[in-house]
Structures are given as structure tokens and as C-alpha cells.
């Protein structure tokens, strides 16, 4: 829905510019004292005074600061920057607004509107279903805003669910988002005011289940501008899909569609203009995601290519009027290509484009040649009806692909995106229907907010002087009145079986509707027309050709021709068309374009009235679509036309904040200490919400807040207590919030004091307990350590006593070895008497040499050299002593051989007999201090050493 158009600007631009310059100084004198802070005003209701120029100045300051969203009461105003803004619509920003406890307290953004609607669904607040109405003139950013809203809901409402797999959720999200580029490719076009203008209206229902998760979507479309297929206004383009095909097709596709690089088409003006929307691959991928396979895509693109070749067919007159018009020579190839792509007979195509079929009775058929103008009309009619049917089929296919079953969803959030208010040099039936839709939406806004708000003041008992606002009910009565409205008279004229007469219809309009102030005409214009005073300005509509457009006749022979197509998709589009035409003729009724559009619009309004609406007004800052360029004259017309100024004025001059008593006490009840206030805030003991039950508590809270109020304003100018609600101004709300913050701070300080006292006592008790625990643990550790020392000392003492007893035992055994050995010998060997006489032993006479161990040296050497003596000694010093003795006595003659074997035998005790050997153990004591005595004169022997010494 758009406001402030180029035609209106031409008529009233200078007057507005003069009024702006004259009134700006007086109205903004006090307002602009702090001009540097204008961009900080997030809500236009805070502007003081509320005038069009003050609101305009605030928006301009925010636009220069690159702040593009501003609240205006219940409406969000969005200024189009005409360039990408980094970081404004990222996933992080979506999560920030979705997870915010109070999104309304954040900076104005389109995501605030989306999140508020989503939370209303989550909270099941009646009415549960929501509608987001995005309005604005062409080029204001409605399509982009709708795209951002769909992306937001597809992100926050399509999270993983326990009931569905992640793949299913991602498929739903992808299909919902992929429906958008397809609808834009087939329904949007480049116009003078917008490079991506929606040439149809759509209402998208995002379907949510009981867990508020996105499970599907459905699309309803309104009034496709199908005339654009065959007739493009000057310096504008056809639908995007045709340019996407000619620029993005591959070599094989070009050969199949017969569109070589050097081919030019009459219905593709400004083809050299490059746009971001000319992305063929994106459209093809979206079709694949939605289930349109390659085969169906081939059928679709062949039909579209056939329409391009159909537009290149031209006609010329012949001398004989009884003969049909000729097709120009250079167009005959186009006829062949068109028939081949549409898979229809070439001869019949040539015939039915130039010849009209007439039926005489039930059987006979007459052929009448068409005039040159009729040939052009029939050609364009064929293209329009094929494209319109193809567009409807796409919408049905998208709905079948993304729409969920009725049993799986229970609520929805609707997104309404329609074309804006239009006013051109020549306006016809299309502009009349578009502006009528904008009138209906404007009335819905007025009835829902402006009118309902003021009526609520009266019902609540407020003394309120009504603010004047622009009510467009008179214009709607002019258009849709029964039986004397413009649409009723137009339909009646179309149902008459006679030729249309524009001047006659103009006379009838003037006769029937002369009493309506919204109807007028320019007496100096010679062309039949009528002028309607819309809410956005006056628009003149040309009557010539309006009746034919309203009838939207399609020659039946062309329908029969298309039904013969071998293209399965094209044949499917018109399979049921014949039955509809026959039924219409049987009932003698003509379903006009106006009737269909009015019925669809009424069904849309029923949906809007049954939902909670959220308004977003898109503003176009400049007509040239230049980035970050703000034109005051352009913006002020849009603000006045859409009622933004009245909305702000009612919100600011009246009581924009309305809070029920119970909610008021729940938030501000802490300002008073009355028991009734506490009960009202808790909801205990009070069943009613009216003035009698909660009024005294509310009065006490307001009195407590106003005690600190030092301004000169009276209470009636700040607050009013109605029957069930408290009505507040912004200043009173700020005062209540300040008092609430102060009271919360005082209570928080008291809580902190108690908490600090409790924490100190608790820390002191913990410290004492910790000291006791530490003392107990230390004593236990000391006792355990001493016990371990005693146990270790006992083990060492036992080991020491065992070792000393063992040493004593070994020493005693060595001393008693000789006696034990003598007793054990049975009988000594018989010796030679000579040896016995000599007192020596004749060892050589024994069977084997006898090893003498440790015998006295003299005894051993007395028998030399007749015996072999083996001397063994252990230890270096003993060995050296034995060697010294032997070398001194025996080694001199060289007759004896001395061998040392000290490492094989032990040292024998001199007290032992020469039998066996005794090894002396020189191992060190295992005790560190066992082999030495402590100095008793020194003090300080403690710990384990003291324990060991006491046990030795």
C-alpha cells in the first residue's frame, strides 16, 4: 500500500514546499534546541510538539544517522536506504531480538514487529492468529521487508523438534523460503519507481503447530497485472522471468527455446538493463527444491518462450476487407516458432489470430475476418490468458508443496504485501482496483487504531475531545456502494449485450454519483473520465477501454486451440476451461474482473479482522531511489497520506499508554505499602478488575508517585482512571518508572544490607568452624605421625636386635667349631712313625694333597718341600701379610709356587681347625645411627632418632 505519488507531487509539490519552509521555524523553534539528539528519538510520540514538520525533521535526523526504523505509536515506520546495510539483518540480530526479555525496549527494528506477533501466538492471546500488514508505495521496500519477515520466522520458528527430524524441518524452511524467488520472478517487474515492484498482491500464511513451530505455508494472490505481458509502459520492463531466460539460458536451452543471442523480442523492452533480479539459476534451484522437476521446468520455459515469439507476430491490412489481415513476412517464422514451442497446429494459430468464429444456432459456424485492431487484441489476449493460467498453476503447486495438513497446524501468522497506491498520467481499471485495495487497508487501519482508540476513551469515561483524522468511508461508498457505486455501475454496463460507450457511461456516473463529495471530473478534459478523491490524493481514471478490461473476454476459439496443445502442462492449464465457459453462458452471467477482485479482497478483510494486525509503513525517501537521499516533500506526502501524523498526534496528545488495573498494580504496586495493593498485585482475594475493587489501590499508587511530581501539570493532564484501565501519558509513565526505579533501589539497598549482614555473620561462623576443624585435623595429623614413628621405630628396633643376636650367635659358633670338628672325626689316619717322631705331618703320603687353611705358618712350612700348601686369605691387608711372609722365606730359592685365591675362599679364624672355613660378615648396620653413639652432650636429638636411641 503506497502513499504520496508522483502525480500528486506534480500538482501540490510547490505548495507543500512553501508551507514547509514557512512553518518550519515557528514549529521547530523549541524543538530544535537539541537538534543533535533528534536521532535518539526511537518513538515519534516523544516528539514535542507533534506536527508534520517536527516528525519529518526527526525522521530526517535518524535517516542521516543511518537509523531506518522508528516507532510511531502502534506503527513501525521503515525508511528505505536503497543500499545494503551490513549487520542489519544477520542471524545474530535475529537471535538477539528473539531472545530479548523485552524486545520493545530494544532499538526499533522490523524484527520487533515479527517477535511481538510470534509471542502473541505463543501466549495464546486472543485473537491468537496474527497479521503483519506491510504497506507503502512502489519502491518503499515492501517486498524486501516481507522477505526479511519470512526469513525471521523460518529461522526462529523452524528449530529442531522432538517430533520431526532435522531434515524435515530444514526441508520445510527451505521450501517456504524458495517460494519467494519464484513468486518474484513470475510476479515482479522493473517499473519507473522500483526495480523489483510486485505486480500482484499476496497474503502468505505461515502455519504453526501447537508448539509454535513452522510446519507449512500457503499463498493467496490478488489481481496479477497480466496486461504487462503484452503491453509494458514506457521505460519499464516485462516480468523478471523473461529476462532471466534470455540472459541465463545455456546453449542447448537457447537452441530448444529458439532464442539465439542476437534475437530481439518486442515484449522485452530495456533488455540491456542489468538488474540483481535477473538470476536464472536461483529461480531454477528454487523450482527444484519445491518439487518442479527438470521435465516440468522444460514445459514451463517452452511456454514462456512461445509467448515471446508470439509477441513478435505483426499484422498488416489487405485491400479486400472481406479477407483476413495478412501476417507480415518477417513474422511468419515467429508463427512457426510460437506454434512449435506451444505444440499447437500452425494453421489454426494463423487462422484464429485473424478470424473470429460466430455461431448461428446450434450447428452452423461462421467465420468473420477481424480488423487490424482486433488481431492485435486477440494476439495479446492469448498471451495474457496463458500467462495468467501459468501463474495460477504455479501458486497452486507451491501451496501443494509447502502447505501442511489442517490437522498438523492450529495457528498462523499472515504477511500481507500488496502493490502501493498508483497515480499515472493514464489510469485505467488496474489502477482503480489497486487504489481500492489500498482504501480498504487504510480503512482497516483507521477502524482498528485511530477510531477504536478514541471510542475506547469514551467507553472508559474519559473526557476526550476527538482528534480529527482522515476517514475514507466516503470514498469506499463511492467505489463499492450498492446499487449505485462505481463498481456496481461498471458491472451492470458490462452485462448488457451492447457495445461499450465511454461517454454514455460517464454521463451515468455523473447522474448517479453526483451527490458524493469524493466524485468529480475535469470539465476542461475532452476525454471521458472521472476523478476519485482517495485518501492519498485525487486520481483521474480514463473510461475508454475500462469496460473491455472488466469483461476480460477470451475468444473461445483460442481456448479450443490451446486445449489441442501437445504440451502436457499447457493442456492441463486449460483442461477445465470449457466447462466453466459453458456454465457461465448457461446462467447468462458474466464474472467480471472487478467482481472477482472484490470478492477476494472481502475474504482477505475477513481474515484481517479476525486476527491481531501489526502495521509497518514503508516510506520512500526519494523518487529516484538514490542511496541515503532524503527528500522532505516526498516523505511528508506519504506521512500525511497514510495517517502517520494523526496516529502520532492521537498517541501523544491523548493517553497512548493503557494498562489494566491488575497489570498496573503488578508493576507499580511496590510504590505503596497498602495491603490491598499487595493483594491486587498478587491477584489474591480480588476477583473483579473494575474501579470498585482495585480503584483505591490504584489511587494510592498514583498519589504516592505524584507526591514527588514538581511540574505544573495537573493530574488530569497526566493520568486518568477509567472503568477498567489506567490511561497514562508518556510523561506520567516516565514519572512512574522513575518512582519504581527509586523504590526498587531502596528495597534493593535494604536487601543488600540484610544480605551483607547475613554474609558477615556467615563468614564469621565459617571462620570459627574452620579454625576448629583445622585444629582437630592438625592434632590428628600429629598423632598419626607420632604413631607412625613409633611403629617404624619398633620395626627398626626389632630388626636391630635380631641382627645383633645373629652376630653374637655367629661369633660363638666360630669359637666352638674346633671342638665340634674333633668330636665328629671318627679315626685319624695312621701316620708314619718318623713323622710322628718329628712332630710334622707327611702330607705327601696321603692319597690326595691336603689343603691346609689357616694353619700356623711355622707348622705349614716345616713340611716343605715334600708337601703342597694352599694358603687362602680374604681381604687385601691379610693377603699382603701372607705374601710378605712367604716371599721372605720361601720365594727366594724359587722352589715354591705361590697362588693367591682370596676371592674363592674365606678367611679362617686362627682359633679354628684346618677343616672348614668361617666367613666374617662386615655388612653395615641397617640403622643410620646404630653403629655410632650419639653425643650425649649435644641437645636437639628429636623425632625418630630419639625414639631409636631410646629403644637401643
Amino acid at each position: 500500500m503506497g502513499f504520496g505519488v508522483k502525480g500528486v507531487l506534480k500538482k501540490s509539490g510547490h505548495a507543500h514546499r512553501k508551507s514547509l519552509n514557512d512553518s518550519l521555524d515557528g514549529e521547530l523553534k523549541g524543538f530544535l534546541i537539541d537538534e543533535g539528539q533528534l536521532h535518539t528519538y526511537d518513538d515519534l510520540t516523544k516528539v514535542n510538539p507533534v506536527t508534520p514538520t517536527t516528525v519529518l525533521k526527526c525522521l530526517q535526523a535518524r535517516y542521516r544517522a543511518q537509523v531506518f526504523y522508528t516507532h510511531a505509536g502502534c506503527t513501525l515506520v521503515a525508511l528505505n536506504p536503497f543500499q545494503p546495510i551490513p549487520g542489519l539483518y544477520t542471524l545474530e540480530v535475529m537471535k538477539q531480538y528473539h531472545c530479548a526479555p523485552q524486545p520493545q525496549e530494544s532499538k526499533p527494528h522490523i524484527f520487533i514487529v515479527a517477535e511481538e506477533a510470534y509471542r502473541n501466538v505463543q501466549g495464546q492471546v486472543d485473537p491468537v492468529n496474527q497479521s503483519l500488514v506491510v504497506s507503502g508505495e512502489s519502491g518503499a521496500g515492501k517486498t524486501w521487508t516481507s522477505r526479511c519477515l519470512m526469513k525471521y520466522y523460518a529461522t526462529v520458528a523452524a528449530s529442531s523438534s522432538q517430533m520431526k527430524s532435522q531434515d524435515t524441518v530444514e526441508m520445510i524452511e527451505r521450501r517456504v523460503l524458495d517460494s519467494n524467488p519464484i513468486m518474484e520472478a513470475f510476479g515482479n517487474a522493473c517499473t519507473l519507481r522500483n526495480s523489483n515492484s510486485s505486480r500482484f498482491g499476496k497474503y502468505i500464511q505461515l502455519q504453526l503447530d501447537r508448539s509454535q513451530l513452522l510446519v507449512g505455508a500457503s499463498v493467496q494472490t490478488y489481481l496479477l497485472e497480466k496486461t504487462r505481458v503484452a503491453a509494458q509502459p514506457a521505460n519499464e520492463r516485462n516480468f523478471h522471468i523473461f529476462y532471466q531466460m534470455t540472459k541465463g539460458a545455456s546453449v542447448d536451452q537457447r537452441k530448444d527455446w529458439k532464442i539465439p543471442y542476437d534475437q530481439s523480442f518486442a515484449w522485452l523492452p530495456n533488455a540491456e538493463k542489468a538488474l540483481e533480479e535477473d538470476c536464472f539459476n536461483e529461480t531454477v534451484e528454487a523450482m527444484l527444491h519445491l518439487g518442479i522437476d527438470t521435465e516440468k521446468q522444460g514445459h514451463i520455459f517452452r511456454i514462456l518462450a512461445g509467448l515471446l515469439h508470439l509477441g513478435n507476430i505483426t499484422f498488416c491490412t489487405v485491400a479486400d476487407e472481406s479477407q483476413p489481415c495478412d501476417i507480415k513476412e518477417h513474422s511468419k517464422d515467429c508463427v512457426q516458432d510460437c506454434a512449435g514451442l506451444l505444440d499447437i497446429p500452425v494453421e489454426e494459430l494463423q487462422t484464429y489470430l485473424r478470424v473470429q468464429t460466430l455461431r448461428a444456432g446450434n450447428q452452423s459456424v461462421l467465420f468473420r475476418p477481424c480488423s487490424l485492431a482486433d488481431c492485435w487484441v486477440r494476439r495479446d489476449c492469448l498471451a495474457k490468458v496463458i500467462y495468467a493460467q501459468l501463474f495460477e498453476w504455479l501458486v497452486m503447486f507451491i501451496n501443494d508443496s509447502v502447505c501442511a495438513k489442517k490437522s498438523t497446524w492450529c495457528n498462523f501468522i499472515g504477511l500481507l504485501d500488496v502493490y502501493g497506491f498508483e497515480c499515472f498520467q493514464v489510469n485505467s481499471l488496474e489502477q482503480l482496483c489497486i487504489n481500492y485495495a489500498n482504501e480498504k487497508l487504510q480503512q482497516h487501519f483507521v477502524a482498528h487504531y485511530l477510531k477504536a482508540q478514541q471510542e475506547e476513551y469514551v467507553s472508559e469515561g474519559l473526557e476526550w475531545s476527538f482528534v480529527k483524522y482522515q476517514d475514507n468511508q466516503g470514498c469506499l461508498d463511492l467505489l463499492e456502494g450498492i446499487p449505485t457505486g462505481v463498481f456496481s455501475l461498471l458491472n451492470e454496463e458490462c452485462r448488457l449485450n451492447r457495445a461499450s460507450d465511454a461517454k454514455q457511461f460517464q454521463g451515468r456516473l455523473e447522474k448517479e454519483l453526483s451527490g458524493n463529495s469524493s466524485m468529480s471530473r475535469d470539465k476542461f478534459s475532452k476525454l471521458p473520465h472521472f476523478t476519485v478523491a482517495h485518501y492519498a490524493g485525487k486520481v483521474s481514471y480514463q473510461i475508454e477501454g475500462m469496460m473491455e478490461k472488466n469483461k476480460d473476454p477470451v475468444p473461445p476459439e483460442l481456448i479450443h486451440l490451446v486445449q489441442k496443445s501437445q504440451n502436457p502442462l499447457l493442456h492441463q492449464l486449460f483442461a477445465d476451461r470449457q466447462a466453466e465457459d459453458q456454465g457461465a453462458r448457461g446462467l447468462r452471467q458474466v464474472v467480471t474482473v472487478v467482481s472477482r477482485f472484490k470478492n477476494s479482497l472481502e475474504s482477505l478483510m475477513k481474515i484481517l479482522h479476525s486476527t491481531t494486525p501489526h502495521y509497518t509503513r514503508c516510506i520512500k525517501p526519494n523518487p529516484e531511489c538514490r542511496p541515503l537521499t532524503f527528500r522532505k516533500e516526498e516523505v511528508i506526502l506519504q506521512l500525511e497520506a497514510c495517517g502517520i501524523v494523526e496516529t502520532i498526534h492521537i498517541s501523544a496528545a491523548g493517553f497512548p499508554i493503557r494498562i489494566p488495573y491488575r497489570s498496573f498494580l503488578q508493576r507499580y504496586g511496590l510504590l505503596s505499602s497498602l495491603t490491598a495493593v499487595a493483594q491486587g498485585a498478587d491477584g489474591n482475594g480480588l476477583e473483579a478488575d473494575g474501579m470498585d475493587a482495585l480503584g483505591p489501590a490504584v489511587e494510592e499508587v498514583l498519589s504516592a508517585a505524584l507526591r514527588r511530581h514538581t511540574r505544573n501539570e495537573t493530574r488530569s493532564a497526566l493520568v486518568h482512571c477509567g472503568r477498567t484501565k489506567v490511561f497514562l501519558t508518556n510523561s506520567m509513565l516516565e514519572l512512574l518508572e522513575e518512582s519504581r526505579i527509586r523504590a526498587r533501589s531502596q528495597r534493593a539497598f535494604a536487601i543488600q544490607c540484610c544480605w551483607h549482614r547475613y554474609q558477615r555473620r556467615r563468614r564469621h561462623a565459617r571462620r570459627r568452624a574452620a579454625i576448629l576443624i583445622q585444629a582437630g585435623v592438625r592434632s590428628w595429623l600429629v598423632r598419626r605421625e607420632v604413631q607412625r614413628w613409633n611403629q617404624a621405630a619398633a620395626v627398626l628396633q626389632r630388626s636391630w636386635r635380631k641382627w645383633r643376636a645373629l652376630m653374637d650367635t655367629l661369633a660363638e659358633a666360630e669359637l666352638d667349631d674346633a671342638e665340634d670338628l674333633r668330636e665328629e672325626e671318627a679315626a685319624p689316619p695312621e701316620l708314619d712313625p718318623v713323622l710322628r717322631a718329628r712332630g710334622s705331618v707327611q702330607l705327601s703320603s696321603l692319597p690326595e694333597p691336603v689343603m691346609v687353611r689357616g694353619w700356623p705358618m711355622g707348622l705349614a712350612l716345616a713340611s716343605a718341600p715334600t708337601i703342597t700348601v694352599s694358603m687362602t686369605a680374604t681381604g687385601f691387608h691379610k693377603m699382603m701379610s701372607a705374601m710378605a711372609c712367604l716371599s721372605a722365606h720361601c720365594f727366594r730359592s724359587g722352589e715354591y709356587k705361590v697362588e693367591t685365591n682370596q676371592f674363592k675362599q674365606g678367611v679362617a679364624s686362627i682359633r679354628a681347625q684346618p677343616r672348614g672355613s668361617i666367613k666374617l660378615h662386615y655388612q653395615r648396620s641397617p640403622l643410620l645411627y646404630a653403629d655410632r653413639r650419639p653425643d650425649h652432650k649435644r641437645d636437639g636429638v628429636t623425632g625418630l632418632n630419639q625414639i631409636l636411641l631410646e629403644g637401643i
Side-chain angles (χ1 to χ4, degrees):
M1 186 165 57
F3 323 97
V5 292
K6 186 172 290 187
V8 179
L9 282 174
K10 289 182 179 180
K11 296 181 181 180
S12 57
H14 296 287
H16 272 283
R17 189 180 301 110
K18 184 177 181 181
S19 62
L20 283 174
N21 296 331
D22 293 341
S23 61
L24 189 61
D25 295 336
E27 293 179 351
L28 303 182
K29 185 176 181 180
F31 179 70
L32 298 183
I33 295 176
D34 195 9
E35 187 175 356
Q37 299 298 322
L38 287 178
H39 66 279
T40 62
Y41 288 11
D42 292 339
D43 197 331
L44 295 177
T45 58
K46 299 178 181 179
V47 174
N48 188 20
V50 179
T51 61
T53 48
T54 55
V55 171
L56 178 67
K57 194 67 176 178
C58 184
L59 290 176
Q60 185 178 14
R62 292 177 64 82
Y63 192 74
R64 289 176 179 174
Q66 296 192 9
V67 182
F68 308 105
Y69 291 103
T70 309
H71 289 298
C74 68
T75 306
L76 180 70
V77 177
L79 296 171
N80 194 344
F82 294 114
Q83 70 177 18
I85 304 299
L88 191 58
Y89 305 100
T90 60
L91 183 61
E92 291 73 16
V93 177
M94 295 182 187
K95 293 181 179 179
Q96 176 184 352
Y97 283 92
H98 180 59
C99 299
Q102 295 292 334
Q104 293 79 8
E105 298 178 359
S106 304
K107 295 181 180 179
H109 201 284
I110 187 61
F111 295 155
I112 290 183
V113 180
E115 183 61 24
E116 182 180 358
Y118 186 67
R119 295 193 181 188
N120 286 349
V121 177
Q122 288 181 322
Q124 296 294 299
V125 180
D126 291 330
V128 179
N129 297 326
Q130 310 290 309
S131 292
L132 280 68
V133 182
V134 182
S135 60
E137 71 169 65
S138 181
K142 302 184 303 297
T143 301
W144 174 259
T145 302
S146 301
R147 192 185 305 171
C148 292
L149 289 172
M150 290 184 63
K151 180 62 178 176
Y152 182 83
Y153 286 123
T155 301
V156 304
S159 58
S160 60
S161 173
Q162 297 179 356
M163 303 298 294
K164 295 181 176 64
S165 64
Q166 185 66 23
D167 294 339
T168 304
V169 174
E170 291 179 356
M171 181 190 68
I172 295 173
E173 176 185 356
R174 185 172 61 248
R175 286 188 174 183
V176 170
L177 294 179
D178 286 338
S179 64
N180 209 42
I182 297 178
M183 300 294 291
E184 291 185 9
F186 284 84
N188 290 20
C190 177
T191 63
L192 290 174
R193 302 181 63 82
N194 185 10
S195 62
N196 190 28
S197 177
S198 298
R199 308 318 301 162
F200 69 105
K202 63 177 179 290
Y203 184 73
I204 303 174
Q205 282 188 350
L206 302 178
Q207 300 160 346
L208 307 176
D209 60 6
R210 297 186 183 275
S211 300
Q212 289 77 51
L213 297 179
L214 184 65
V215 295
S218 65
V219 182
Q220 302 176 23
T221 60
Y222 307 95
L223 195 65
L224 174 70
E225 190 190 14
K226 58 184 179 182
T227 56
R228 183 172 289 268
V229 177
Q232 302 80 34
N235 298 323
E236 294 189 1
R237 301 205 317 176
N238 209 326
F239 292 105
H240 292 323
I241 186 62
F242 294 108
Y243 299 92
Q244 293 178 2
M245 291 175 55
T246 56
K247 294 182 180 180
S250 62
V251 177
D252 295 336
Q253 289 174 335
R254 289 180 178 277
K255 185 181 298 184
D256 184 27
W257 302 338
K258 301 177 182 179
I259 49 173
Y261 287 99
D262 55 350
Q263 178 92 24
S264 61
F265 297 97
W267 287 349
L268 288 186
N270 302 312
E272 70 283 354
K273 187 175 182 179
L275 295 178
E276 182 182 356
E277 289 75 20
D278 296 339
C279 186
F280 184 63
N281 294 331
E282 182 179 354
T283 304
V284 171
E285 292 178 2
M287 287 182 171
L288 291 175
H289 291 163
L290 285 175
I292 303 177
D293 54 21
T294 306
E295 182 179 0
K296 278 192 176 65
Q297 290 182 22
H299 298 329
I300 293 173
F301 295 135
R302 285 181 64 87
I303 293 174
L304 296 176
L307 296 183
L308 291 179
H309 289 283
L310 180 62
N312 284 354
I313 299 177
T314 57
F315 306 93
C316 60
T317 58
V318 293
D320 189 0
E321 295 182 356
S322 62
Q323 298 297 322
C325 298
D326 287 339
I327 297 176
K328 293 184 178 180
E329 189 65 27
H330 67 274
S331 299
K332 292 183 179 180
D333 293 338
C334 296
V335 176
Q336 296 285 342
D337 295 339
C338 177
L341 291 170
L342 297 179
D343 289 334
I344 57 179
V346 180
E347 296 79 7
E348 295 187 18
L349 176 62
Q350 293 177 346
T351 301
Y352 291 143
L353 288 178
R354 302 175 297 156
V355 176
Q356 182 181 5
T357 303
L358 300 176
R359 291 185 179 273
N362 296 328
Q363 299 296 332
S364 60
V365 178
L366 301 178
F367 295 96
R368 188 184 69 178
C370 298
S371 63
L372 182 62
D374 290 339
C375 292
W376 297 108
V377 171
R378 294 170 73 86
R379 182 202 65 174
D380 296 348
C381 182
L382 178 62
K384 290 187 293 183
V385 70
I386 291 177
Y387 192 84
Q389 290 295 115
L390 179 61
F391 186 80
E392 291 182 5
W393 178 86
L394 277 174
V395 173
M396 289 189 348
F397 191 93
I398 290 174
N399 287 333
D400 294 339
S401 178
V402 301
C403 187
K405 296 181 180 179
K406 183 60 180 177
S407 59
T408 61
W409 64 276
C410 55
N411 301 117
F412 67 85
I413 297 177
L415 307 179
L416 179 61
D417 177 17
V418 296
Y419 15 55
F421 188 88
E422 293 184 351
C423 179
F424 303 120
Q425 294 293 334
V426 178
N427 303 286
S428 187
L429 183 65
E430 296 85 1
Q431 284 70 41
L432 181 63
C433 293
I434 289 173
N435 295 338
Y436 168 65
N438 284 272
E439 291 284 353
K440 294 290 288 186
L441 294 176
Q442 177 66 15
Q443 186 200 37
H444 178 262
F445 172 74
V446 170
H448 177 77
Y449 184 73
L450 300 179
K451 187 176 180 180
Q453 184 176 9
Q454 298 196 77
E455 290 178 352
E456 185 180 15
Y457 291 161
V458 176
S459 64
E460 289 287 336
L462 275 72
E463 296 180 0
W464 173 259
S465 58
F466 282 82
V467 176
K468 294 182 179 180
Y469 56 86
Q470 186 178 4
D471 192 353
N472 62 341
Q473 186 60 46
C475 181
L476 289 174
D477 293 339
L478 172 68
L479 296 177
E480 62 183 7
I482 296 175
T484 58
V486 174
F487 290 156
S488 298
L489 297 176
L490 184 61
N491 289 334
E492 183 179 347
E493 186 71 18
C494 293
R495 291 188 180 99
L496 297 176
N497 190 13
R498 64 184 184 186
S500 302
D501 190 342
K503 291 186 178 181
Q504 183 179 357
F505 183 69
Q506 180 183 9
R508 189 176 181 188
L509 288 177
E510 293 178 357
K511 178 182 177 181
E512 299 289 344
L513 303 174
S514 59
N516 194 309
S517 59
S518 300
M519 179 78 175
S520 62
R521 75 179 183 91
D522 186 5
K523 296 180 180 180
F524 298 98
S525 177
K526 297 181 181 180
L527 297 176
H529 73 283
F530 63 94
T531 302
V532 178
H534 293 283
Y535 69 93
K538 293 184 177 181
V539 181
S540 295
Y541 299 97
Q542 301 296 329
I543 300 178
E544 190 67 37
M546 186 175 289
M547 276 71 75
E548 286 74 14
K549 290 182 179 180
N550 190 33
K551 293 177 183 178
D552 193 20
V554 180
E557 55 270 18
L558 294 181
I559 299 298
H560 296 321
L561 173 62
V562 178
Q563 288 175 344
K564 295 180 181 179
S565 173
Q566 299 300 317
N567 187 317
L569 178 58
L570 185 59
H571 179 77
Q572 178 185 353
L573 297 180
F574 294 89
D576 301 330
R577 188 64 180 258
Q578 183 177 1
E580 295 177 1
D581 293 343
Q582 290 178 354
R585 288 195 299 269
L587 295 175
R588 298 294 181 184
Q589 292 181 356
V590 178
V591 181
T592 61
V593 173
V594 168
S595 299
R596 289 196 298 266
F597 181 72
K598 186 179 178 182
N599 292 335
S600 62
L601 190 60
E602 287 178 354
S603 64
L604 173 63
M605 299 311 298
K606 289 181 180 179
I607 296 176
L608 294 181
H609 284 297
S610 64
T611 60
T612 301
H614 305 266
Y615 301 99
T616 300
R617 301 290 192 181
C618 297
I619 303 297
K620 187 176 183 180
N622 63 86
E624 298 84 9
C625 302
R626 295 179 181 176
L628 301 179
T629 302
F630 192 91
R631 297 286 179 83
K632 293 186 292 185
E633 297 82 1
E634 179 81 8
V635 175
I636 196 64
L637 287 174
Q638 299 177 61
L639 293 176
E640 291 178 346
C642 65
I644 288 293
V645 179
E646 288 82 359
T647 303
I648 301 170
H649 184 66
I650 292 176
S651 299
F655 300 97
I657 297 95
R658 303 176 300 278
I659 306 175
Y661 281 164
R662 190 175 299 280
S663 300
F664 180 82
L665 291 178
Q666 287 177 354
R667 183 168 183 83
Y668 302 109
L670 54 86
L671 300 181
S672 177
S673 58
L674 289 180
T675 306
V677 175
Q679 291 179 351
D682 297 336
N684 300 324
L686 295 173
E687 299 297 335
D689 292 336
M691 186 69 181
D692 297 337
L694 301 180
V698 173
E699 291 290 343
E700 178 63 25
V701 172
L702 294 174
S703 300
L706 290 172
R707 291 192 191 103
R708 299 182 178 88
H709 183 60
T710 58
R711 301 174 186 173
N712 297 327
E713 297 173 298
T714 61
R715 172 172 172 170
S716 60
L718 295 174
V719 60
H720 183 88
C721 294
R723 294 185 176 89
T724 61
K725 297 179 181 179
V726 181
F727 293 82
L728 307 171
T729 60
N730 286 320
S731 58
M732 186 62 195
L733 179 64
E734 294 176 0
L735 179 63
L736 285 170
E737 289 295 327
E738 292 175 1
S739 301
R740 182 173 180 268
I741 293 173
R742 189 182 302 108
R744 286 165 60 94
S745 299
Q746 293 174 357
R747 286 162 174 76
F749 180 73
I751 293 173
Q752 288 174 355
C753 291
C754 295
W755 176 253
H756 290 324
R757 182 171 61 252
Y758 167 75
Q759 287 288 351
R760 291 186 64 182
R761 291 178 178 177
R762 189 177 180 184
R763 283 197 299 269
H764 181 68
R766 284 185 173 183
R767 185 173 183 182
R768 292 185 59 187
I771 292 174
L772 293 176
I773 293 174
Q774 289 174 357
V777 171
R778 290 194 187 98
S779 63
W780 176 79
L781 290 175
V782 171
R783 287 195 300 270
R784 190 183 68 170
E785 192 68 18
V786 172
Q787 185 179 3
R788 292 179 61 187
W789 287 354
N790 290 330
Q791 292 175 359
V795 172
L796 294 176
Q797 289 170 1
R798 285 196 301 269
S799 299
W800 167 252
R801 292 190 185 99
K802 288 181 180 180
W803 179 78
R804 193 166 60 180
L806 180 60
M807 293 299 102
D808 294 343
T809 303
L810 290 177
E812 291 177 358
E814 288 180 3
L815 295 176
D816 297 337
D817 265 351
E819 296 179 359
D820 295 338
L821 290 175
R822 289 193 188 96
E823 293 177 357
E824 292 176 0
E825 289 178 356
E830 292 294 333
L831 296 178
D832 192 274
V834 177
L835 293 175
R836 183 178 300 111
R838 292 180 181 178
S840 61
V841 180
Q842 185 67 35
L843 298 178
S844 59
S845 61
L846 296 176
E848 291 181 1
V850 178
M851 181 179 295
V852 181
R853 299 181 182 180
W855 285 16
M857 188 64 65
L859 180 61
L861 296 179
S863 302
T866 58
I867 61 174
T868 300
V869 180
S870 175
M871 300 291 294
T872 60
T874 302
F876 178 76
H877 294 288
K878 294 183 179 182
M879 183 188 70
M880 293 301 296
S881 300
M883 292 293 294
C885 293
L886 292 175
S887 61
H889 187 268
C890 305
F891 290 172
R892 293 175 184 175
S893 58
E895 297 177 357
Y896 299 96
K897 183 179 179 181
V898 181
E899 295 179 358
T900 62
N901 194 19
Q902 66 270 29
F903 300 106
K904 296 181 181 180
Q905 302 294 333
V907 178
S909 174
I910 58 175
R911 295 172 295 178
Q913 295 294 329
R915 291 296 179 102
S917 63
I918 298 175
K919 293 183 180 180
L920 295 180
H921 301 276
Y922 289 96
Q923 294 179 353
R924 197 172 182 180
S925 172
L927 299 178
L928 182 61
Y929 297 99
D931 55 351
R932 64 181 65 178
R933 298 291 296 179
D935 190 0
H936 295 286
K937 296 181 181 180
R938 296 179 59 186
D939 297 332
V941 180
T942 60
L944 181 61
N945 295 336
Q946 180 66 29
I947 297 173
L948 292 175
L949 293 177
E950 292 176 356
I952 294 176

